[in-house]
């Protein structure tokens, strides 16, 4: 009987410890939620939008930015012309509604500035207007062979291997603040096999209902935002996400 009583007492003590720990976990989670809500309320209001890509896709040029599409009905015969190149590009708009300074960083080699028509990696910019925007191009050129590989992957239900990718990162410089990051992705299969010629490829024709071939491309006009909360940006200390235990 004594052994049973002792065992029951131990279970009671263990259960009380669990409840106490659970209460502490909940309090910590609530505190973290409160801290994140405060940082959310102080975060700059920024919108990143990807415009519809250029269609028809443009021909690559040694002179810098492409200026025109391939001629209508142009045919690429493999393997003779499989290394000719097409450009996939779309304009990215960063709009902000903020009364202070913002630092905007453009990450990835597939993003270029378009101020003077020359191809170059986009640089970090500082936005200081009450309301304003900045525009860059998400841009990359591919061989027709690479885009043919995208077409075959799409037909097989596999991920498309060739893509234009980059990131937009925005923060207002506060040490105890937030950093917002948007991942950009543009891909698709803008070329398809010729209906009657083996080993020949053409640009996807315009769709009857859409009026263009943009349906052949895959992209998100409003990419999802990923927010990082900082205890101290300078020291690299992130605010952890709250965890509720059951």
């Amino acid at each position: 009987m004594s052994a049973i009583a002792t065992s029951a007492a131990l279970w009671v003590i263990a259960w009380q410890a669990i409840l106490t720990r659970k209460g502490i976990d909940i309090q910590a989670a609530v505190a973290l939620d409160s801290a994140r809500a405060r940082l959310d309320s102080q975060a700059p209001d920024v919108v990143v939008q990807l415009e519809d890509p250029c269609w028809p896709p443009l021909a690559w040029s040694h002179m810098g930015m492409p200026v025109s599409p391939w001629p209508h009905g142009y045919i690429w015969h493999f393997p003779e012309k499989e290394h000719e190149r097409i450009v996939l590009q779309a304009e990215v708009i960063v709009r902000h509604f903020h009364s202070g300074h913002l630092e905007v960083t453009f990450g990835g080699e597939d993003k270029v500035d378009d101020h003077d028509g020359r191809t170059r990696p986009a640089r970090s910019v500082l936005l200081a207007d009450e309301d304003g925007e900045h525009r860059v191009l998400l841009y990359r050129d591919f061989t027709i062979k690479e885009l043919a590989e995208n077409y075959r992957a799409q037909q097989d239900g596999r991920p498309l291997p060739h893509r234009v990718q980059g990131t937009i990162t925005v923060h207002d410089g506060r040490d105890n603040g937030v950093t917002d990051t948007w991942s950009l992705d543009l891909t698709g299969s803008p070329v398809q096999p010729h209906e009657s010629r083996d080993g020949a490829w053409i640009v996807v024709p315009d769709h009857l209902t859409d009026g263009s071939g943009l349906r052949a491309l895959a992209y998100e006009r409003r990419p999802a935002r990923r927010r990082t909360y900082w205890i101290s940006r300078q020291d690299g200390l992130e605010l952890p996400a709250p965890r509720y235990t059951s």
Side-chain angles (χ1 to χ4, degrees):
M1 206 57 189
S2 174
I4 296 176
T6 301
S7 177
L10 290 174
W11 274 107
V12 169
I13 293 171
W15 181 245
Q16 288 176 338
I18 291 172
L19 290 178
T20 301
R21 177 56 186 270
K22 182 178 179 181
I24 293 173
D25 288 345
I26 291 176
Q27 291 175 14
V30 170
L32 287 172
D33 264 339
S34 178
R36 289 161 72 96
R38 176 182 61 82
L39 293 179
D40 282 334
S41 68
Q42 298 172 352
D45 186 6
V46 179
V47 174
V48 173
Q49 178 176 323
L50 193 69
E51 295 286 79
D52 285 335
C54 180
W55 190 270
L58 304 179
W60 179 76
S61 168
H62 290 280
M63 303 302 294
M65 299 298 295
V67 293
S68 61
W70 285 96
H72 181 71
Y74 190 84
I75 299 176
W76 290 278
H77 295 278
F78 282 21
E80 292 87 351
K81 297 183 178 181
E82 65 182 19
H83 296 297
E84 292 186 350
R85 309 182 80 85
I86 270 185
V87 172
L88 295 186
Q89 71 175 40
E91 190 172 44
V92 182
I93 303 176
V94 182
R95 291 192 178 95
H96 71 98
F97 311 92
H98 183 64
S99 58
H101 290 276
L102 287 179
E103 183 173 331
V104 184
T105 304
F106 307 96
E109 298 179 356
D110 298 339
K111 200 175 289 86
V112 297
D113 207 322
D114 193 31
H115 288 304
D116 54 11
R118 291 184 300 172
T119 304
R120 63 188 182 194
R123 299 168 180 166
S124 298
V125 298
L126 195 65
L127 302 179
D129 299 329
E130 185 72 23
D131 295 321
E133 68 178 39
H134 193 82
R135 294 170 179 253
V136 292
L137 287 177
L138 189 65
Y139 165 102
R140 189 174 180 180
D141 57 90
F142 300 92
T143 66
I144 306 304
K145 181 180 180 182
E146 288 173 330
L147 295 177
E149 291 171 357
N150 270 13
Y151 175 86
R152 296 189 181 100
Q154 186 177 58
Q155 296 298 303
D156 295 340
R158 295 182 284 110
L160 276 57
H162 304 291
R163 326 177 74 89
V164 196
Q165 295 179 311
T167 59
I168 302 286
T169 303
V170 177
H171 67 81
D172 62 2
R174 289 184 301 124
D175 188 50
N176 177 221
V178 303
T179 298
D180 289 334
T181 304
W182 291 263
S183 296
L184 308 174
D185 185 40
L186 169 62
T187 185
S189 51
V191 299
Q192 66 180 35
H194 193 282
E195 293 180 352
S196 58
R197 301 188 185 183
D198 291 339
W201 293 76
I202 59 172
V203 170
V204 171
D206 292 345
H207 293 282
L208 294 177
T209 56
D210 293 353
S212 76
L214 278 175
R215 200 184 298 180
L217 302 181
Y219 56 98
E220 286 189 55
R221 293 197 56 144
R222 294 290 294 272
R225 182 193 68 195
R226 184 175 70 256
R227 173 162 286 179
T228 303
Y229 298 84
W230 296 103
I231 297 173
S232 172
R233 187 195 316 275
Q234 181 177 355
D235 295 333
L237 298 176
E238 292 186 29
L239 186 69
R243 298 178 60 185
Y244 293 90
T245 58
S246 59

